[in-house]
Amino acid sequence: MCQLKSIQRHLKTVNISETEKLDIIQSFLAYLGAVDQSVSNPEMAAELNRLIATHHPEKSIYQKEKQEFNRFMLEQYGKYTQLTQSAVNPLKTAAKLAIAGNIIDFGPNHTFSVEETIQRVLNANLTIDDFDMLETELKKAKRILYLGDNAGEIVMDKLFIKTINKPDLQFVTRGFPVLNDIVKEDAEQVKMAEVCQIINNGTDIPSTVLNKCSEEFIEAFEQADVIISKGQGNLEGLLYERNRNIFFLFTVKCDVIANLTNTQKGDFVLMHASKLPKGEGLL
């Protein structure tokens, strides 16, 4: 299970005693033993984050790293803005940069090179490529909802949103700190309000689990003509929403998602929800 594989690595980042770490591990294992099988991996990650938070004084265990990656990517923003504007298709280039930015993740894959990944995605074809459909839908959409994912990559999200250039676009953060997922402070740090409106989903789950989200978010979700969902976490929460106009943009980071989407680790994906596999218990 992904959560069991990552728990020790997450605990290495926390400056607490070995006794406290053992307590967290035992509590989390007890939670896994009692939890319903329908609970998603992101919900389990949220529970692990809550257990760590009971022993950790800071607001987020990755707060420092998040700020650093936001700053680092902001330093690159001008360069990639110029690259996008000079491209044959600026919108597709911006979309590919947003997908490349998804590599910035301290979760399943914590070893990455942003620059190498960006060059690779710019020179590669998307393994699943529904860009033409996305471009068509964006042109006629009035309300667009953009589900954000991680710190750092939020800068590439900003560039993509700027390129989309729609006045009624809402960007969604998490409601509370969890892992390296974006919250209001991250959106403020990168000045996301310069290009769109900002709301949050009301949860501390590193995903979009609709029955856990706030009424404000659900209203925005239901009213959106197009939903852009970034990252594997959001994909996991929306696996059964195949009848909605959702486009999933992500870098494949684990074998589970690779098998689910018939891709390979490291592949780049822009996929409409209609291509989601059918059935229950997919993960």
Side-chain angles (χ1 to χ4, degrees):
M1 182 181 292
C2 294
Q3 300 307 329
L4 286 175
K5 290 180 181 179
S6 65
I7 182 171
Q8 289 185 327
R9 178 165 48 79
H10 286 310
L11 288 177
K12 285 180 181 179
T13 69
V14 187
N15 185 23
I16 57 177
S17 69
E18 293 302 315
T19 300
E20 289 174 306
K21 291 180 181 179
L22 180 60
D23 181 57
I24 291 170
I25 293 172
Q26 291 175 336
S27 297
F28 188 61
L29 291 175
Y31 164 80
L32 292 178
V35 77
D36 187 275
Q37 290 186 348
S38 65
V39 174
S40 65
N41 281 331
E43 289 176 272
M44 295 180 191
E47 179 62 23
L48 173 58
N49 188 73
R50 294 173 198 136
L51 289 170
I52 293 174
T54 62
H55 297 276
H56 196 265
E58 294 183 12
K59 194 173 185 180
S60 167
I61 62 173
Y62 291 123
Q63 188 169 3
K64 180 180 178 181
E65 289 85 350
K66 287 170 63 180
Q67 292 173 347
E68 289 176 350
F69 270 100
N70 287 338
R71 282 195 295 268
F72 171 76
M73 294 305 294
L74 280 171
E75 291 172 359
Q76 316 302 314
Y77 185 74
K79 175 175 66 175
Y80 291 114
T81 297
Q82 291 180 355
L83 187 152
T84 299
Q85 292 173 344
S86 63
V88 174
N89 188 328
L91 187 65
K92 186 160 190 177
T93 297
K96 292 177 79 172
L97 287 170
I99 294 169
N102 187 233
I103 198 66
I104 304 172
D105 190 350
F106 310 124
N109 175 16
H110 63 290
T111 302
F112 53 83
S113 168
V114 176
E115 291 289 342
E116 288 180 10
T117 302
I118 287 174
Q119 290 307 313
R120 189 159 62 89
V121 73
L122 289 175
N123 294 322
N125 293 324
L126 301 175
T127 305
I128 301 176
D129 187 353
D130 288 333
F131 172 77
D132 289 345
M133 183 179 180
L134 173 60
E135 187 174 34
T136 298
E137 292 297 312
L138 287 175
K139 286 179 180 178
K140 62 186 181 182
K142 292 184 178 179
R143 296 189 177 186
I144 302 169
L145 196 67
Y146 194 115
L147 311 179
D149 188 24
N150 296 325
E153 75 174 276
I154 188 177
V155 176
M156 294 304 195
D157 295 330
K158 180 181 178 181
L159 177 55
F160 186 26
I161 290 168
K162 180 181 179 180
T163 309
I164 292 172
N165 191 27
K166 287 277 189 170
D168 290 327
L169 188 150
Q170 292 179 305
F171 180 79
V172 185
T173 72
R174 309 301 183 213
F176 304 94
V178 54
L179 306 179
N180 70 316
D181 285 40
I182 52 168
V183 290
K184 177 182 177 183
E185 288 79 6
D186 297 293
E188 291 175 343
Q189 184 181 359
V190 305
K191 296 181 171 59
M192 183 64 81
E194 292 177 345
V195 297
C196 64
Q197 304 167 36
I198 303 168
I199 63 172
N200 71 74
N201 67 8
T203 78
D204 66 345
I205 299 172
S207 180
T208 302
V209 180
L210 294 178
N211 64 359
K212 304 292 185 181
C213 291
S214 66
E215 291 183 8
E216 177 193 17
F217 171 80
I218 294 299
E219 181 178 356
F221 188 88
E222 296 289 345
Q223 292 179 353
D225 300 311
V226 174
I227 299 168
I228 297 173
S229 170
K230 281 295 299 298
Q232 290 188 168
N234 284 323
L235 171 68
E236 289 185 60
L238 298 170
L239 269 179
Y240 305 105
E241 301 297 325
R242 61 182 65 87
N243 294 322
R244 295 185 186 268
N245 201 18
I246 306 175
F247 291 86
F248 297 97
L249 281 66
F250 60 95
T251 301
V252 180
K253 300 174 186 174
C254 70
D255 292 330
V256 173
I257 299 300
N259 292 335
L260 183 75
T261 57
N262 195 28
T263 58
Q264 297 181 359
K265 287 174 66 175
D267 283 355
F268 305 112
V269 172
L270 196 167
M271 178 180 71
H272 188 260
S274 59
K275 291 187 178 177
L276 288 170
K278 297 180 180 180
E280 300 301 320
L282 295 172
L283 293 179

